[in-house]
Amino acid sequence: MAKKKETKVETTPPVIEQLKVETPVMETPKHKKVEPKKPTWEIKDRVYYLKGNKKPLSKMLKSANVYWFDEEKGYERELKYCQNQKTCFVDEMKGDQRLEHIIFRNGVLFVEKEKTVLQKLLSLYHPHKDSIFYEYKPTKIAENQIDYLEMEIEALNAAQNLDIDMAEAVLRVERGSEVSNMSSKELKRDLLLYAKRNPGLFLELVNDENVVLRNFGIKATEMGILKLSSDQRTFSWGSNDRKLMNVPFDEHPYSALAAWFKTDEGMEIYSNIEKRLN
């Protein structure tokens, strides 16, 4: 029997394709430039007053030949109030320009909400805004009143807690030498009234480190320990007229004395006077 030839079948290994994984590229988001929103115009009736509580029968405000510098455009723009125009800027007006007067009656000008052009001219652009006239703003007035009331409370609290020497020093600025003859209760009463009447100045004096030294010098002069010359230029000892210091030109004598008490020589004199006062 004839042998069958064996045929070799060559097997090739399967080709495995490699999958390519592409990494997505993240694009950096571009930030859009956000422009600040312009404040919206509130449509409402507005009232304007002449400054200084002035109340003439009539006062005419310039409604033409006035200018406003436009920072965005970089130049001055002419303003004009015309009743038949929708803008107060001359370069934006169209057609005829019928000029209208702006008149305050008895120091007041009421502008209805429908007259937006006139309101914007007065509230935003007119060069005499806040110099000749101002817009009445109840909210702003309320804020100022709150600030003043808070300052008044602070001043009254400070006055309540001041010791008698500091109270005398502060009150002497207001009442002068008569403070020396006041009782402690009179001092306290007048100090509280002073703090309520003028809280800003009161707090300024309380925080002034020289106010006590000024009072100290005044007391020493009143008691004859120190002597101030008639021309208020020289301080000397009251007992022997020996000169202690010269007051610099154009300076208050007791303010100069207070500053001098802080020097080495002045501190020795201060200690000497303090012993005599006590």
Side-chain angles (χ1 to χ4, degrees):
M1 291 181 67
K3 291 182 179 180
K4 292 182 179 180
K5 291 183 179 180
E6 294 181 359
T7 57
K8 291 182 179 180
V9 180
E10 293 182 359
T11 58
T12 57
V15 178
I16 301 174
E17 294 183 0
Q18 292 184 351
L19 295 176
K20 292 183 180 180
V21 180
E22 294 183 358
T23 304
V25 178
M26 300 293 290
E27 290 185 4
T28 305
K30 295 180 180 179
H31 296 286
K32 293 182 178 179
K33 187 178 180 181
V34 180
E35 295 184 357
K37 292 183 179 179
K38 294 183 178 179
T40 55
W41 178 259
E42 184 181 358
I43 298 176
K44 64 177 183 179
D45 296 334
R46 296 173 190 268
V47 183
Y48 303 87
Y49 290 92
L50 294 177
K51 294 203 73 174
N53 203 26
K54 296 177 181 176
K55 297 180 181 179
L57 290 176
S58 65
K59 166 71 176 177
M60 187 179 294
L61 197 69
K62 289 188 72 174
S63 57
N65 294 321
V66 289
Y67 296 85
W68 175 76
F69 182 75
D70 191 329
E71 293 185 358
E72 188 176 333
K73 295 183 181 294
Y75 57 83
E76 281 189 326
R77 302 176 69 185
E78 185 179 358
L79 303 169
K80 187 183 292 186
Y81 176 50
C82 299
Q83 195 175 29
N84 65 324
Q85 295 289 338
K86 296 181 179 180
T87 178
C88 60
F89 292 108
V90 174
D91 56 15
E92 293 178 355
M93 292 182 179
K94 297 178 181 178
D96 295 335
Q97 300 173 6
R98 294 202 298 269
L99 189 66
E100 186 78 7
H101 295 304
I102 304 173
I103 302 175
F104 284 75
R105 305 286 184 186
N106 295 315
V108 184
L109 174 61
F110 177 80
V111 183
E112 301 86 349
K113 62 183 178 182
E114 292 81 10
K115 295 185 177 180
T116 309
V117 174
L118 178 55
Q119 286 189 356
K120 287 185 176 181
L121 172 62
L122 294 173
S123 297
L124 302 177
Y125 308 121
H126 203 286
H128 294 156
K129 177 175 70 78
D130 296 329
S131 61
I132 292 179
F133 71 92
Y134 66 94
E135 180 184 351
Y136 174 71
K137 296 180 180 179
T139 305
K140 187 67 178 176
I141 292 173
E143 289 175 359
N144 292 339
Q145 288 175 337
I146 289 172
D147 291 341
Y148 184 86
L149 288 171
E150 288 176 347
M151 182 169 61
E152 186 178 307
I153 292 169
E154 183 183 354
L156 288 170
N157 286 335
Q160 189 68 34
N161 297 323
L162 280 185
D163 60 56
I164 195 68
D165 291 333
M166 187 63 175
E168 180 183 320
V170 171
L171 200 58
R172 190 179 293 276
V173 176
E174 171 77 0
R175 303 294 294 273
S177 58
E178 67 177 282
V179 171
S180 303
N181 301 321
M182 296 173 69
S183 67
S184 58
K185 288 188 176 181
E186 287 174 327
L187 274 173
K188 202 71 174 178
R189 177 202 63 198
D190 286 10
L191 190 73
L192 288 168
L193 291 173
Y194 182 39
K196 182 177 177 61
R197 186 170 61 252
N198 200 337
L201 179 58
F202 178 84
L203 290 172
E204 186 179 326
L205 290 172
V206 168
N207 295 318
D208 184 357
E209 60 180 10
N210 286 335
V211 70
V212 175
L213 292 175
R214 279 201 301 268
N215 184 58
F216 181 85
I218 293 170
K219 285 175 67 176
T221 305
E222 288 177 349
M223 295 179 66
I225 300 173
L226 294 180
K227 184 188 294 184
L228 178 61
S229 62
S230 58
D231 61 356
Q232 297 196 334
R233 294 294 94 196
T234 306
F235 278 100
S236 56
W237 281 117
S239 56
N240 56 18
D241 288 335
R242 183 168 68 86
K243 187 173 73 172
L244 294 174
M245 67 159 292
N246 291 322
V247 178
F249 179 74
D250 209 21
E251 192 170 333
H252 191 280
Y254 289 105
S255 296
L257 182 62
W260 182 72
F261 278 143
K262 295 179 181 180
T263 65
D264 292 338
E265 183 184 1
M267 289 176 68
E268 292 181 9
I269 302 299
Y270 179 90
S271 300
N272 191 320
I273 297 171
E274 192 174 30
K275 291 175 184 176
R276 301 189 191 191
L277 288 176
N278 297 331

